[in-house]
Amino acid sequence: MSILSKTYFHDEAAAFDYLESILWPDGAHCPHCGVIGRSNKMQGKSHRIGLWKCYACRKQFTVKVGTVFEHGRIPLHKMLQAVYLMTSSKKGISAHQLHRTLEITYKSAWFLAHRIREAMREGDFDGGLGGENKVVEADETYVGGKAKNRAYKAPPKKEPVVALVEREGKVRSFHMPSVTAKNLRPVLVTQIDRKSFLMTDEAKVYRGAGREYAGHGTVNHSINEYVRHGGFMHTNTVEGYFSILKRGITGVFQHVSQQHLKRYLGEFDFRYNTRSALGFDDAKRSVEALRGVVGKRLTYKSCPTA
């Protein structure tokens, strides 16, 4: 039996119960006054599905209030399907595919996907990446179309992306205005523990910041050097992350605008940070994404399509 045959993917009442079990493990939490356990679910046909009333502040609410799903006009069970599809697809799923699968408009699917990406967005890691006796790889790449694919047009502008990957750990990627030593240093020193061993290619932009770490190793890609010192010196981990990112953007999304690139990076970071090697499966990954919906809002006006 497919996991998409679960009741909460098809029944609205079951969808509310499922989301409540994830976001309210200790009982209904009133988003207006913050009181837990003094609310009752409204019964009867005259009330909306999933409606609660707080007897501390006398206000009504649902589990969607205060989350990225608030004021969503799409049925919650379809939103849950979208979360599962986006978290279980290694290279992502396009808004057009969501539009066809969920039988909603393309505009709604596009905005829903960005809401879910907002839920996937992670804050700073506790203590940052790396630490004593740990290796963090840093590298940059450029996202954009290829000039050879354009006829009679100027080459497309490529957007720089810098990724920091802890070996056997997590990743953080950033859309940068440009890749310079001045721009890179604040990112490196705030995201990577100084006790870490920094691993990069031969680019000069990493030299200054590299001196601030326990060690700084490099490989020289310009002379086709990719691994040395018994396999310790390499940047293959971060290159592997870039491979997944670029195949997703090129093969699934086709085009990503400059203003929304950071949201797509957050999506790929989230899936990498909840991969099977770290103990997650598709079901756990979707639950982790749902836990991230709280305290975040994304309106259509603040998320233009242009």
Side-chain angles (χ1 to χ4, degrees), residues 84-273:
Y84 185 83
L85 290 171
M86 288 183 65
T87 56
S88 62
S89 303
K90 186 172 184 179
K91 298 177 182 65
I93 182 171
S94 69
H96 268 295
Q97 185 64 54
L98 286 176
H99 140 67
R100 293 190 296 269
T101 302
L102 303 180
E103 296 185 334
I104 57 179
T105 66
Y106 170 71
K107 179 179 177 180
S108 296
W110 181 89
F111 184 39
L112 175 59
H114 276 303
R115 285 187 174 194
I116 296 170
R117 290 185 185 103
E118 184 68 13
M120 292 178 177
R121 178 177 56 83
E122 298 176 300
D124 292 337
F125 301 139
D126 294 337
L129 294 168
E132 191 172 0
N133 298 322
K134 293 185 178 179
V135 179
V136 177
E137 300 178 17
D139 199 6
E140 74 284 345
T141 191
Y142 293 84
V143 174
K146 297 180 180 179
K148 67 179 183 180
N149 294 334
R150 285 194 168 189
Y152 312 111
K153 294 182 181 179
K157 184 175 184 281
K158 290 181 176 288
E159 300 296 331
V161 172
V162 171
L164 315 174
V165 183
E166 179 183 325
R167 289 185 184 172
E168 299 181 357
K170 296 187 174 183
V171 63
R172 291 297 302 274
S173 57
F174 303 86
H175 178 200
M176 305 290 290
S178 60
V179 180
T180 64
K182 183 178 180 181
N183 289 341
L184 275 178
R185 184 186 175 277
V187 173
L188 295 174
V189 299
T190 56
Q191 300 296 326
I192 305 176
D193 191 304
R194 303 294 184 91
K195 297 178 182 179
S196 308
F197 192 98
L198 181 65
M199 193 74 67
T200 68
D201 58 19
E202 74 279 10
K204 296 180 180 179
V205 293
Y206 298 103
R207 290 181 182 176
R211 300 188 189 101
E212 302 183 45
Y213 289 91
H216 178 204
T218 62
V219 287
N220 194 341
H221 290 169
S222 63
I223 60 172
N224 294 325
E225 180 186 62
Y226 296 96
V227 180
R228 61 191 178 93
H229 280 296
F232 177 72
M233 297 281 195
H234 66 80
T235 57
N236 294 341
T237 313
V238 66
E239 294 287 354
Y241 170 77
F242 283 147
S243 174
I244 297 172
L245 172 67
K246 287 192 171 184
R247 288 183 182 185
I249 290 179
T250 303
V252 176
F253 300 112
Q254 311 296 324
H255 168 74
V256 173
S257 67
Q258 178 185 14
Q259 62 184 340
H260 293 306
L261 178 56
K262 62 181 181 182
R263 301 190 194 282
Y264 290 91
L265 294 179
E267 176 186 356
F268 280 88
D269 283 359
F270 174 84
R271 279 196 297 265
Y272 187 89
N273 295 338

Side-chain angles (χ1 to χ4, degrees), residues 18 39 41 70 79 96 146 181 222 232 236 249 286 301:
Y18 178 69
S39 303
K41 182 171 281 189
E70 186 172 354
M79 291 184 179
H96 268 295
K146 297 180 180 179
S222 63
F232 177 72
N236 294 341
I249 290 179
S286 65
K301 184 178 290 187

